[in-house]
Amino acid sequence: MAKLVRISLSLEESLLEQLASMQGKDGYENRSEYIRDLIRSQIARREWISGEEVVGTLSLIYNHHQRGLAGKLIDLQHHSSVHVLASTHVHLSHEICAEMIMIRGCGSEIEKLAASLKRLKGVLKAELTAGSMGRAFR
């Protein structure tokens, strides 16, 4: 683990109260860890919009009986400028499937692929989670 450094900061009392409330609602017992995670999230967000290489996870729920959908899902992934690192396909019912796709590339290109997949007829839900290549966690 990296060397820890102590800092001090000044906050308005109302801001500190809001921070404590968010910390409690998010289940953090330790204020320092909560603030570290807020900073890491901000670093990852900036990486995502800066054009740097990032990772994302796209979760899809879709009706696999929709004519031609499986082929379109695969085709869009193969012809995208982003790299599909892994994909997991799960049968939720006779008709409904879930797929989790881990993607690496430029944030805007990942968002473009996610939007293309989301618009396909038969896709019931698509959720993109933005991630970091790890710089936010060093």
Side-chain angles (χ1 to χ4, degrees):
M1 184 170 160
K3 178 182 172 186
L4 292 179
V5 178
R6 290 194 184 274
I7 64 167
S8 117
L9 71 134
S10 301
L11 299 173
E12 294 87 1
E13 189 173 348
S14 63
L15 190 57
L16 179 60
E17 289 168 0
Q18 290 176 6
L19 177 67
S21 174
M22 292 184 327
Q23 174 190 336
K25 287 178 182 174
D26 289 347
Y28 284 79
E29 294 179 18
N30 182 305
R31 183 184 306 153
S32 292
E33 189 56 39
Y34 188 67
I35 292 172
R36 282 192 289 269
D37 279 354
L38 290 174
I39 294 168
R40 289 181 190 117
S41 292
Q42 184 69 4
I43 292 169
R45 187 184 73 74
R46 286 174 184 247
E47 287 176 2
W48 191 266
I49 61 175
S50 72
E52 293 182 51
E53 189 174 54
V54 293
V55 293
T57 304
L58 179 61
S59 299
L60 301 173
I61 298 175
Y62 61 91
N63 183 335
H64 77 267
H65 286 297
Q66 179 67 46
R67 183 180 297 243
L69 178 59
K72 291 175 185 174
L73 289 169
I74 292 169
D75 193 50
L76 282 169
Q77 291 176 57
H78 279 268
H79 292 98
S80 173
S81 63
V82 301
H83 303 286
V84 175
L85 302 174
S87 179
T88 301
H89 180 95
V90 179
H91 300 273
L92 300 176
S93 71
H94 178 70
E95 300 166 343
I96 306 299
C97 292
E99 192 162 332
M100 287 67 67
I101 308 163
M102 183 171 232
I103 311 164
R104 180 178 185 168
C106 174
S108 62
E109 292 300 314
I110 291 173
E111 288 174 353
K112 215 184 303 185
L113 173 61
S116 296
L117 294 171
K118 186 178 193 172
R119 286 191 298 265
L120 293 173
K121 187 174 182 178
V123 174
L124 307 171
K125 174 78 172 145
E127 188 77 32
L128 178 61
T129 303
S132 168
M133 292 293 292
R135 289 176 287 277
F137 308 106
R138 292 186 196 139

